[in-house]
Amino acid sequence: MVDLQQRLDQFLAEHDPTTTGAREFLGAQHDAGLAWVHFPDGLGGLGLSRGRQAEVDERLEAVGAPRPDVGRNSIGLGMAAPTMLAFGTPEMQRRHLRPIFACTEIWCQLFSEPGAGSDLAAVATRAVPDGDEWVVDGQKVWTSGAHNADFAILVARTDSSVPKHAGLTYFIVDMTDPGIEIRPLRQITGEAEFNEVFLSGVRVPDRNRVGAVGEGWKVATTTLNNERVAIGAGNDREAGQIGPVTERWRRDPSVRTPGNHAELMQWWVRTEVTRLAGERLRQGLAVGQPGPESSAMKLAFAQQAQQVSGFALELAPEEGLTYHDWSMVRPETGSFLGHGPGFRYLRAKGNSIEGGTSEIMRNIIAERVLGLPPEHRPDKGIAFKDVPR
Amino acid sequence: MTDLLYTDIEESLRSSVRSSLQRSLDDGLAARLYDEPDTDVGPLWRGLAEQLGLAGLLVPERLGGSGAGPREAAVVLEELGRSVAPVPFLTSAVIATSALLSAGDEEFLPVLSAGERTAVLVLPWTARRGAWAAVDGAVGPVAGAVGADLFLVPEQGEGGVTSLRAYEADDVEVEPITSLDMTRPLARVATRGQGAEVARGAPAEAAVDAALGAGQALLASEQLGLAQWCLETTVEYAKTRVQFARPVGSFQAIKHRLADLYLLLVNTQAAARYAAGTLADDDPDQQVAQSLAQSFCSDAAVHAAEEALQLHGGIGMTWEHPVHTRLKRAKSDQLALGTPERHRDDLADLVDLPAP
Ligand SMILES: Cc1cc2nc3c(=O)[nH]c(=O)nc-3n(C[C@H](O)[C@H](O)[C@H](O)COP(=O)(O)OP(=O)(O)OC[C@H]3O[C@@H](n4cnc5c(N)ncnc54)[C@H](O)[C@@H]3O)c2cc1C
C-alpha cells in the first residue's frame, strides 16, 4: 500500500515548486507517479484508484505548484492520454505520456470532416497500408489548436466495404509531416482557434496505430467520453462563467437591481448544482472509465455556460456593448474565459457544438442511458462505399 | 468534499424499504385518501417502523434508536417519495425528532424510536430555518399533525423568551384541512393548557432551526425519489405506447425531453446528496446546501411530475393513473419548508451576493 502523503512529502522535498520550472516540475511529478495516480507504475501513476488524484491535486495546489497547461494542451491531457492508456502499446505510452503531462508535446484532434461531424463514423479520410506504414489522404475541419500541435489523434477509414462503424482505425499522427497543410478558420470571436487540415500522402508508421485495424470506433468512443468529462471540469465553487458575474456583483453596487438579483441567484444555484453533479460523476468514476453518463455533464455545462455568459452582458450593459479586440489572432490556448464578457458570450456558443452537439448528447442519454428505442438509421448494415453521401 | 455516492449499507437499506413498501402499500391507497381521508394509515407506518426501525433511525442507540444518520434517512425518503407513502417519517422521525435531539431530550425520544407514538413540530408547513415565529394560540397549516400523539410547540414564554413545549394529544385540537396533497394532510392546531417545557431560550430556538434545517436537507431526497419515479414510469410508458406505428419513445421530440429530464435528475441527485452529506458531516456549508437543495430540487420535482403527466397523454389526466398523486405531492413539497424563491434569498445572504 502506497502512502500517498508520504510520497508527496518526499517529492516536494526534492522539487521545490516555487523555484523549479514548470516543465521540469511536471516531468518529475510524472516520474514520481503523481501525474495520474490511477495510471500504472512507470507511466505517470501508481496504480491507485482514480479518486485519489484529488489528494495529490489539493496538496500541490496548496503549495502553489505548477500545473499542466490545460488551456494549451486540453486534447493531449484530457483525451489522448486516457485513450492511449486504454488502447496504446507500452512503447507508445512510454514515448508520449510524459511529454503530454509536462506539456512539451501539444496535441490536436483530427476527427471532424466536412461530411462527418455529428455522424463521426462517416469519416472519409482514407488510410491505406503500404509496407509497415499507412498513407493517409483526406480533409479534416474545425481542428482546434492544429497550428500549435506537435501530434494529433486521427480517425481514418481503412475499409469502405463494410458498414461505417466497422471500417475505421485510430492513429497517432506527427503534425510536422510534410503532407499536412493547416489553414486557419476564423471563428465568431474573431480569433482563429480552429483550422482546416489537409492530409495528402501523410505517412504514418504502423506502430502509431492505436487499437486494432477496424476498431477505431471503439477507441474513438473512449476519447469522446473522456472529452465530455474534461470539458467544463472545474472543481471550485463559482469557477467558470459564473465567476466574473459574482465578482462583478460584489465589487460594483451599480449592477444590483432586484431583477438582476433574482436572475443572478437562479444562475448561481444552477451552476453550483451542476458543479456538484460533476463532482458526483468524478467520485463515481473513481474506478473505471467514463461511460455515456458523461454526456449529461457536457450538456449541463454547455447550457449553463451559455445562459450565464449571456446574462453577464445584460448585467453591465455599457460594457456589454463593447468588445476587447476583433483582430484575427491564432491563439495559443482555447480559453472559454479569457478577454471580456463579449468574448465569453460568443465563445460559449461553441460549448454546445464542440465535443458533440447538445442534440447528440440528448440522443446518447435517451438511447444509451434510458434505453429508449433507436432512431431510424438508413445506413445500418450497408457498406460505407454504398451509402449515398 | 462530502461523499456524494451511496454506500453498500445505504443500498441495502433502500432495498429493504422498497420491498417492505411493495408488500404493505397498496397501489390505490394514495388516490383513495382523497375520497376517504379518514382511512387509517397508522398500521402502515407502525409496520414499517417495526420491521425496519425507521422511527428511530436518527436516534442514538442509547435512547432506543438505531443510531443511523442523515444519509440513511435520505435514502429512506427517496423510497417514500417514489411511492408517496402516507407515513409521518419526515414530520415525526426527521423534523420533530431533530428538534428533540437538539434540545437534548431523553424522555420522549425512546418512545418515539419504538414507533409507538409519533410527534410533530407545530409550525406552519411553510416555515423555514431562520424564518419562523413563535406560535400564539392556533396555527396552520401544519403537516403531520393529523394522527400525531405528541405536539412540540414553540411558544413565546415570559419576557418574550422562546419556549419549546410538548403537548399530549388530549391538550390540542386538530382540525384537518382539505389539502392539495391528501397523502400528507394538513391541519390547524390549537393548544389548551400549558404543556411541558422541553427547552427554553436560545436552545429552544436552536432546536427549531435544527429541525427545520434537517427537514429542508432531507425533503430534497423525497423530491428526488418522486422525480425519479416520474422519469422511470414515463420512460417505460414511452417504450410501449405505439402511435404512428412506432413507440412514442422513438420520436426525437420525446427522447430529448426525457434526456433533459434525466439531466435535471442527475443535478437533483447531486444537490440532495450534498444536503444529506453536509448534514451528516456537520459541515459548515450545510446551510448553503439546504437552501441550495430546496431552491433546486423543489422545482425539479414539480417539473418531473408535469413532464410525466404531459408525456402520458390523456391517460395522465385520469384519476386512475398514479401520476396525479405525484404531482400533488411535488407541488405541495415545493411550498413546504420555504419556497425556492425564499431559499434563493437566504442563499444570497449566505454566499455574500446581497440583494440591492
Ligand atoms: C469551437 C469548436 C472546436 C472544435 N474543435 C474540434 C477539434 O479540435 N477536432 C475535431 O475533430 N472537431 C472539432 N470540432 C467539431 C465538432 O466536434 C463538430 O462541429 C460537431 O461534432 C458537430 O458537427 P457538425 O459541425 O458537422 O454539425 P452537423 O453534424 O452538421 O449538425 C448540424 C445540426 O444538426 C444537428 N444534428 C445532427 N445530427 C443530428 C441527429 N441525429 N439528431 C438531432 N440533431 C442532429 C446538430 O445538433 C446541429 O444542430 C469543434 C467544433 C467547435 C465549434
Side-chain angles (χ1 to χ4, degrees):
Chain A
M1 191 62 206
V2 190
D3 184 333
L4 204 50
Q5 290 302 333
Q6 201 180 317
R7 214 170 229 273
L8 277 159
D9 288 340
Q10 194 190 335
F11 171 68
L12 287 169
E14 288 164 12
H15 305 272
D16 184 343
T18 54
T19 57
T20 316
R23 288 174 170 196
E24 195 192 323
F25 185 89
L26 294 170
Q29 184 183 342
H30 180 274
D31 298 341
L34 298 168
W36 300 284
V37 295
H38 58 291
F39 279 32
D41 229 327
L43 294 175
L46 298 167
L48 301 177
S49 84
R50 194 177 178 122
R52 301 199 61 195
Q53 185 65 35
E55 292 174 45
V56 177
D57 294 346
E58 271 166 33
R59 181 77 188 277
L60 292 181
E61 195 190 316
V63 297
R67 303 297 301 135
D69 190 344
V70 183
R72 271 177 74 232
N73 204 17
S74 60
I75 289 167
L77 292 160
M79 295 161 234
T83 307
M84 227 179 288
L85 177 70
F87 293 98
T89 62
E91 183 198 352
M92 199 182 268
Q93 293 166 344
R94 273 193 305 275
R95 164 72 187 78
H96 290 295
L97 290 175
R98 189 181 194 274
I100 287 177
F101 187 74
C103 295
T104 52
E105 262 179 18
I106 304 299
W107 287 62
C108 70
Q109 171 168 289
L110 295 172
F111 282 16
S112 303
E113 296 182 8
S118 299
D119 189 5
L120 175 60
V123 298
T125 291
R126 278 175 302 127
V128 177
D130 180 18
D132 59 359
E133 290 185 329
W134 295 81
V135 181
V136 181
D137 287 280
Q139 182 190 346
K140 296 286 175 176
V141 73
W142 323 126
T143 313
S144 301
H147 52 288
N148 294 318
D150 305 298
F151 289 93
I153 44 180
L154 167 81
V155 179
R157 184 153 309 277
T158 44
D159 186 353
S160 59
S161 67
V162 292
K164 63 179 179 183
H165 290 100
L168 300 172
T169 305
Y170 196 107
F171 299 97
I172 290 172
V173 174
D174 184 340
M175 288 298 283
T176 60
D177 188 286
I180 292 180
E181 189 200 339
I182 302 164
R183 294 188 201 150
L185 266 174
R186 200 174 185 193
Q187 69 193 54
I188 185 171
T189 56
E191 297 189 343
E193 188 188 319
F194 50 40
N195 304 271
E196 289 180 291
V197 178
F198 299 85
L199 304 110
S200 26
V202 174
R203 303 198 76 88
V204 179
D206 188 57
R207 66 175 139 61
N208 279 2
R209 174 169 46 78
V210 186
V213 175
E215 300 218 327
W217 181 252
K218 194 168 89 187
V219 184
T221 302
T222 298
T223 308
L224 295 173
N225 283 336
N226 277 290
E227 176 172 27
R228 286 158 196 165
V229 178
I231 290 183
N235 281 324
D236 298 331
R237 182 169 282 172
E238 295 186 14
Q241 295 279 1
I242 196 78
V245 176
T246 49
E247 190 272 324
R248 183 66 181 249
W249 187 271
R250 292 189 183 107
R251 171 169 56 83
D252 179 2
S254 80
V255 303
R256 298 182 200 155
T257 66
N260 278 343
H261 192 245
E263 207 170 333
L264 170 70
M265 292 316 298
Q266 294 263 16
W267 300 135
W268 195 94
V269 166
R270 289 187 208 177
T271 304
E272 175 63 5
V273 168
T274 300
R275 177 183 83 90
L276 292 171
E279 184 63 39
R280 197 169 180 273
L281 181 73
R282 272 189 288 276
Q283 289 182 3
L285 282 179
V287 284
Q289 288 277 334
E293 295 78 11
S294 60
S295 299
M297 291 330 300
K298 160 59 169 83
L299 177 57
F301 164 74
Q303 284 177 351
Q304 169 237 300
Q306 292 178 349
Q307 291 161 337
V308 174
S309 64
F311 171 60
L313 268 67
E314 297 162 48
L315 190 65
E318 282 80 11
E319 191 181 335
L321 288 166
T322 67
Y323 196 74
H324 73 289
D325 179 10
W326 286 115
S327 51
M328 206 282 252
V329 289
R330 299 178 85 180
E332 278 271 303
T333 73
S335 168
F336 301 156
L337 289 181
H339 315 304
F343 174 89
R344 291 196 287 274
Y345 171 70
L346 296 173
R347 179 60 186 84
K349 292 292 169 264
N351 295 156
S352 54
I353 301 170
E354 59 200 337
T357 68
S358 290
E359 288 72 30
I360 297 299
M361 295 306 110
R362 291 188 178 96
N363 284 350
I364 292 172
I365 295 167
E367 294 183 12
R368 308 221 357 244
V369 182
L370 300 178
L372 287 162
E375 292 288 301
H376 177 54
R377 284 178 185 134
D379 56 0
K380 206 171 171 193
I382 297 176
F384 183 72
K385 64 179 167 46
D386 300 329
V387 174
R389 274 183 294 134
Chain B
M1 174 54 86
T2 190
D3 183 1
L4 300 172
L5 305 175
Y6 300 98
T7 63
D8 292 343
I9 296 173
E10 285 161 40
E11 289 300 353
S12 79
L13 176 62
R14 179 197 304 288
S15 55
S16 317
V17 176
R18 189 174 292 190
S19 57
S20 284
L21 283 167
Q22 271 160 359
R23 276 195 308 274
S24 54
L25 179 62
D26 94 69
D27 281 346
L29 177 64
R32 214 158 56 240
L33 288 168
Y34 291 81
D35 292 325
E36 300 161 23
D38 294 333
T39 304
D40 184 10
V41 292
L44 174 67
W45 170 237
R46 280 191 295 276
L48 287 174
E50 238 168 64
Q51 286 162 33
L52 302 166
L54 297 189
L57 204 61
L58 292 178
V59 178
E61 284 171 26
R62 168 177 80 75
L63 296 175
S66 48
R71 284 183 222 269
E72 289 83 3
V75 169
V76 171
L77 276 162
E78 286 180 25
E79 293 306 309
L80 296 175
R82 291 178 74 87
S83 54
V84 288
V87 295
F89 180 76
L90 179 64
T91 50
S92 178
V94 172
I95 297 177
T97 295
S98 295
L100 290 170
L101 284 168
S102 167
D105 165 83
E106 303 211 336
E107 179 188 349
F108 300 112
L109 285 171
V111 193
L112 291 184
S113 308
E116 292 154 24
R117 308 178 74 202
T118 61
V120 58
L121 177 68
V122 179
L123 277 178
W125 191 221
T126 50
R128 68 191 195 282
R129 183 180 195 149
W132 51 273
V135 171
D136 181 14
V139 60
V142 178
V146 176
D149 308 288
L150 181 70
F151 296 75
L152 300 173
V153 192
E155 294 176 4
Q156 179 111 232
E158 271 165 48
V161 177
T162 304
S163 169
L164 182 63
R165 307 187 77 82
Y167 291 83
E168 300 289 330
D170 288 346
D171 298 326
V172 292
E173 204 169 304
V174 176
E175 186 195 328
I177 298 170
T178 304
S179 310
L180 179 63
D181 171 21
M182 288 299 284
T183 65
R184 183 179 281 144
L186 303 169
R188 272 187 83 68
V189 178
T191 54
R192 281 188 297 253
Q194 294 292 304
E197 186 162 85
V198 179
R200 174 177 185 74
E205 286 170 16
V208 173
D209 277 332
L212 294 173
Q216 287 160 205
L218 298 181
L219 176 62
S221 290
E222 174 175 306
Q223 291 165 325
L224 169 64
L226 184 152
Q228 282 174 330
W229 179 93
C230 291
L231 176 64
E232 285 164 27
T233 305
T234 309
V235 165
E236 281 317 305
Y237 185 70
K239 285 181 189 169
T240 51
R241 171 69 177 163
V242 173
Q243 293 289 287
F244 303 95
R246 286 165 61 178
V248 295
S250 72
F251 294 114
Q252 203 178 55
I254 306 294
K255 287 165 98 160
H256 283 195
R257 278 171 78 160
L258 290 169
D260 283 336
L261 191 54
Y262 169 80
L263 170 59
L264 187 71
L265 295 202
V266 167
N267 285 333
T268 304
Q269 188 167 38
R273 289 311 288 169
Y274 188 60
T278 50
L279 183 65
D281 302 348
D282 199 17
D283 186 304
D285 206 38
Q286 63 180 289
Q287 243 171 295
V288 168
Q290 288 160 15
S291 280
L292 184 77
Q294 279 314 303
S295 56
F296 191 85
C297 304
S298 295
D299 289 341
V302 171
H303 184 70
E306 290 175 349
E307 287 291 273
L309 199 157
Q310 172 67 21
L311 298 181
H312 275 82
I315 205 171
M317 275 305 279
T318 65
W319 196 261
E320 277 62 40
H321 195 281
V323 71
H324 72 94
T325 60
R326 273 41 175 209
L327 179 63
K328 290 162 188 169
R329 170 66 72 84
K331 195 68 195 172
S332 304
D333 276 357
Q334 186 192 38
L335 315 178
L337 301 169
T339 61
E341 183 257 343
R342 297 291 164 90
H343 282 291
R344 284 192 292 269
D345 278 353
D346 290 352
L347 206 46
D349 291 334
L350 290 166
V351 302
D352 183 30
L353 292 168

